Amino acid sequence: MKDAFGITTIGFDVAVIGAGPAGISCANSLADMGLEVVVLDEQPNPGGQIYKNIEHVSSACLNILGDDYSAGQPLIKKFRHRNPTYYPGASVWQVNSDGHIFYSKDGISKEEAAKFIVVATGAMERPVPFPGWTLPGVMSAGGANNLIKNGGLVPNGRVALAGSGPLLLLEAVHLIDMGVDIKAILETTPAIPNISSLIHLPQALGRMDLLKKGISMLQKIKKAGIPHYKGIRKLSVKGNDRVESVHALKGDDSINVDADMLFVHFGVVPNTSIYRQIGCEHEWNDIQRYWYPQSDKWGRTSLSNVFAAGDGQFVHGAVPAALKGELTALAIAADMKMIDKDERDKQAKSIENQLQNELKPRSFIDALYAPILNLLDVPKETLICRCECITMGQILDVIDEGCVDPNEVKALLRPGMGPCQGKMCGSIISEIISMRTGKKIKEVGSLNIRPPLKNIPLSEIAEIKFLA
Amino acid sequence: MFSSYETTKQTVTIILDGKPQRVPAGVSVAAAVLGTGKTHTRTSLISGEPRAPFCMMGVCYECLLEIDSRKDQQSCQVQVKEGMIINRQIRTNGEEK
C-alpha cells in the first residue's frame, strides 16, 4: 500500500467487517472508486445470513426461497468479479479505533489495519426466553431458514412456529411450500393492530407491492388450514431431552400442541458487539426495543473513521442494507479525496431516493410487530443465560436486593460470562431490570463488551501474527 | 428431526463420533450433524442437559463441536470437508465421552 506521497504504509484504505448485503455492496463501490479494500467475514462464503450460500444453493431451494433471496446473486457476482482482498472464515475478535483489527482464521490469529473501518455485521434474531427454550428441537426461525439455504434440510417431524414479525410468517410459508407438517402458528402479536401502527399506514401504502406480498403470505397460511393463534402469552415447551409439546395461553384458554420442533422468532435486532467493543456511542429505539450505533446518514459513527452499514446500523432489511453500504462507500471515498463532496452528494441523491422508497412501509411494520416481551410472565426456574444456566429467579433475587446494573448482575451471577459472552442474554437482563424496577432501559444500560469478542485459546493470542 | 429436501449429488465423508458418515458437500458442519439424525450437538457444561444448534448464525454457541482436534468450534460457521473428524462434546458425570 502507498500513500499520497508514494510512501508505503501498513494496511488497507478500508476494512469491511461482514460480507452480507451491506458489506458486499460497500466493498464493491469502494473498489469501483479505486480504494484498497479488505473484507473479513466469519462465514465460508459471501452473502451474510440473507444471501447465505447463494452461489451454491440448489435450484429447488432457490425456487422455495424466491426473488428476495435470488436478488443477492448480482451483488455477489459483482463482488467475485471485483475480487477485493477477502478473508472468509475470519472471526474478528478485536477492533481498535485506530484501525487495527485482530481476527482468527483456521486457528491462527492475525492483525490487519485500515484507515477506515466499516462494521457491517448485520442483525440477529432477538433472543426471548421461555420455559424449555434450551431443549433440542427449539430453534430460531432464521436458523431453520439457514438450514434450507446451507444444508438443503427440511424438518421431517411435526412443527410449531411461535413469536412475532414478518420473518416468522415468511418462514411458515417456506415450510408450507416444502410440504412440512405445521401444527400451529402462535403469534404474540395481537389480532387487532395497535393504534400507533396505523398512524404509519398511509406512508406504507406507498409500497403497495410490499404490502401485497405480506397479505399473500397470510392468505397462503390460511389456505393451508394451519391453526393460527394471535395475541398468545406464556409460551412454553415440554419434553424429556427434546421437544414433545408446545403450550401457550390465549386469553384464559390454553393451547396445547404436540410437536417435535418449535421455530421461534421475535424480530431482529442489530448485532452491536463490535460497535460496543470499539466504543461507539449508542441510541435506544423504543418501538422495536433495541440499541443501535449513533450515526449520520452516511453511517459515520461517533468515531470519525468507523462506519456502520446495513442492519447493524438500524434494522431496515436486505435491500436498504445494500443501499446504505453504497452511501458509506461514497462518504469514505470523499474523505479519501477520491471524489469531491459535490460528486459524493450527487451520487448519493439517487441512492437516498431509492432508500426512502424502500423504507416507506418500515415504520408501519416496526410498530405493527412491536415486541411484546412479557418477561415478568417467565417462571422463576426458566434459564435466562443459556451458557451458564442462570435462572430468572436468581436474576430477580439479586435485582430485588438492589443490584440494578446489568454488569453487577453479571459479576454476581455470571450471566454473560459463558461462550456466547452475553449475546443471547445481555439484552434480556437489561429488559428484566427495567421491567422489575420501572427504570428506563437508557438508565439501566447494557453489558460492557470487551475483547476478545470470540472465544480463542490463549495459545493463539500468544502466537498472534502482528503486522510487520 | 431434519432430512434432505432433495437427493444430494455431491457428498463427502466425515467421521462423526468415530463413525464414517456421508453428508452433502458444501454444507455447514452443524447442518451435516443435524442431517445425520442427531438431535443434539453437545451437553451443557453446567447442567449436563443436551443442547442443539439454536441460531445457526454464529451467535448462540450451542453448536460447539470438536472439529479436527480443535474443541469448541462454532460448527454452524464451518464447512464440511472430506475426512473431517468431528466429535460431539457430550459429558456424562463430568467426564467427556
Side-chain angles (χ1 to χ4, degrees):
Chain A
M1 233 73 19
K2 288 192 166 80
D3 70 9
F5 306 102
I7 299 161
T8 305
T9 54
I10 288 176
F12 291 81
D13 294 329
V14 188
V16 176
I17 305 170
I24 293 286
S25 84
C26 184
N28 285 349
S29 299
L30 289 165
D32 278 346
M33 291 184 280
L35 290 159
E36 293 279 348
V37 190
V38 58
V39 178
L40 300 105
D41 188 62
E42 208 165 35
Q43 297 192 68
N45 293 299
Q49 301 308 321
I50 184 82
Y51 305 137
K52 192 185 267 280
N53 203 34
I54 195 158
E55 295 171 302
H56 309 289
V57 78
S58 71
S59 53
C61 288
L62 203 58
N63 270 341
I64 295 289
L65 296 162
D67 295 346
D68 289 339
Y69 179 60
S70 49
Q73 280 173 329
L75 204 60
I76 308 294
K77 224 173 246 174
K78 187 177 175 192
F79 178 69
R80 292 296 194 190
H81 180 70
R82 269 270 154 232
N83 200 23
T85 307
Y86 168 48
Y87 304 153
S91 294
V92 171
W93 53 262
Q94 181 167 340
V95 183
N96 296 347
S97 54
D98 64 2
H100 287 253
I101 293 170
F102 298 88
Y103 68 96
S104 171
K105 181 173 159 61
D106 302 324
I108 297 166
S109 274
K110 291 183 184 170
E111 183 187 24
E112 198 48 84
K115 295 182 186 75
F116 291 90
I117 294 170
V118 179
V119 183
T121 46
M124 54 181 268
E125 290 176 284
R126 178 198 313 276
V128 175
F130 54 88
W133 74 311
T134 54
L135 272 176
V138 180
M139 185 182 265
S140 73
N145 188 262
N146 277 347
L147 282 175
I148 303 174
K149 290 172 185 166
N150 190 31
L153 288 181
V154 53
N156 60 13
R158 298 160 302 173
V159 169
L161 292 122
S164 72
L167 292 180
L168 181 78
L169 304 173
L170 179 64
E171 188 57 20
V173 167
H174 290 332
L175 295 174
I176 291 167
D177 286 344
M178 296 177 101
V180 171
D181 181 16
I182 304 177
K183 291 297 179 196
I185 299 171
L186 310 164
E187 273 193 272
T188 53
T189 309
I192 300 160
N194 54 45
I195 301 288
S196 58
S197 70
L198 296 177
I199 299 164
H200 303 289
L201 186 59
Q203 194 196 354
L205 291 171
R207 283 303 300 270
M208 215 38 157
D209 54 328
L210 293 178
L211 291 184
K212 271 186 186 160
K213 238 181 215 178
I215 291 164
S216 78
M217 286 197 317
L218 290 170
Q219 283 170 340
K220 194 163 214 170
I221 291 166
K222 200 169 179 190
K223 209 176 145 196
I226 299 164
H228 190 167
Y229 305 93
K230 287 184 182 152
I232 66 113
R233 292 183 68 170
K234 298 202 175 182
L235 176 67
S236 71
V237 166
K238 284 184 187 148
N240 185 25
D241 284 356
R242 57 177 290 182
V243 175
E244 288 167 24
S245 59
V246 180
H247 308 269
L249 285 183
K250 184 177 164 61
D252 292 331
D253 298 335
S254 61
I255 304 163
N256 303 293
V257 183
D258 287 337
D260 306 300
M261 269 170 282
L262 172 68
F263 299 142
V264 288
H265 177 85
F266 295 93
V268 171
V269 300
N271 185 350
T272 55
S273 297
I274 292 181
Y275 306 116
R276 290 267 183 205
Q277 183 262 305
I278 317 180
C280 296
E281 298 291 333
H282 281 70
E283 314 233 16
W284 173 255
N285 176 275
D286 213 26
I287 293 166
Q288 274 291 315
R289 301 198 72 77
Y290 61 61
W291 291 99
Y292 60 98
Q294 205 179 74
S295 71
D296 64 12
K297 71 169 186 180
W298 309 102
R300 193 189 303 269
T301 66
S302 56
L303 302 167
S304 61
N305 60 328
V306 177
F307 286 78
D311 274 0
Q313 183 259 349
F314 198 93
V315 177
H316 289 135
V319 175
L323 295 168
K324 288 192 284 183
E326 288 178 41
L327 286 177
T328 294
L330 286 174
I332 293 174
D335 280 9
M336 293 283 297
K337 313 270 186 243
M338 302 300 282
I339 54 172
D340 61 29
K341 284 192 174 168
D342 290 343
E343 181 60 24
R344 176 195 69 183
D345 295 345
K346 200 182 119 200
Q347 288 195 32
K349 194 99 183 104
S350 77
I351 302 168
E352 286 175 288
N353 287 343
Q354 289 176 64
L355 189 57
Q356 211 176 9
N357 189 39
E358 286 298 325
L359 295 183
K360 275 179 185 162
R362 199 72 219 182
S363 307
F364 172 64
I365 293 168
D366 280 355
L368 182 64
Y369 293 109
I372 301 165
L373 299 176
N374 288 328
L375 284 172
L376 296 180
D377 276 356
V378 174
K380 287 195 165 184
E381 58 279 10
T382 304
L383 294 186
I384 301 299
C385 170
R386 301 170 62 107
C387 299
E388 294 290 314
C389 297
I390 312 297
T391 64
M392 181 71 172
Q394 285 174 284
I395 290 171
L396 288 178
D397 283 350
V398 295
I399 294 170
D400 293 347
E401 281 164 21
C403 182
V404 292
D405 174 338
N407 292 293
E408 277 178 38
V409 176
K410 177 177 166 182
L412 277 174
L413 296 173
R414 292 190 57 83
M417 287 197 196
C420 94
Q421 302 187 38
K423 287 187 187 72
M424 295 295 284
C425 68
S427 61
I428 306 165
I429 293 167
S430 295
E431 290 279 11
I432 296 170
I433 296 173
S434 167
M435 287 181 197
R436 189 70 162 190
T437 60
K439 275 176 129 185
K440 289 212 164 84
I441 281 278
K442 277 187 186 173
E443 295 165 43
V444 171
S446 55
L447 288 182
N448 295 330
I449 305 294
R450 296 193 193 88
L453 295 167
K454 288 278 166 174
N455 306 320
I456 44 169
L458 270 178
S459 57
E460 201 178 308
I461 297 184
E463 289 164 13
I464 191 167
K465 291 190 169 32
F466 290 104
L467 285 171
Chain B
M1 287 193 283
F2 292 92
S3 50
S4 285
Y5 183 56
E6 59 203 318
T7 339
T8 320
K9 292 168 200 99
Q10 284 180 311
T11 60
V12 294
T13 301
I14 57 168
I15 314 293
L16 175 59
D17 295 339
K19 285 181 198 139
Q21 297 267 10
R22 288 181 80 77
V23 298
V27 306
S28 71
V29 173
V33 171
L34 289 173
T36 67
K38 297 273 190 280
T39 54
H40 62 282
T41 36
R42 68 179 181 102
T43 48
S44 162
L45 288 176
I46 313 286
S47 67
E49 292 165 338
R51 294 286 174 86
F54 181 84
C55 77
M56 291 299 292
M57 56 175 284
V59 175
C60 76
Y61 287 74
E62 297 289 16
C63 66
L64 297 183
L65 289 168
E66 184 189 301
I67 301 173
D68 287 338
S69 306
R70 296 215 321 265
K71 284 192 175 177
D72 296 330
Q73 299 301 299
Q74 285 182 281
S75 64
C76 71
Q77 303 290 68
V78 180
Q79 224 164 3
V80 289
K81 283 199 189 106
E82 181 64 38
M84 202 174 236
I85 298 171
I86 298 155
N87 287 306
R88 293 188 301 155
Q89 301 189 161
I90 313 280
R91 275 169 190 247
T92 44
N93 304 324
E95 293 290 314
E96 202 147 308
K97 213 164 46 176

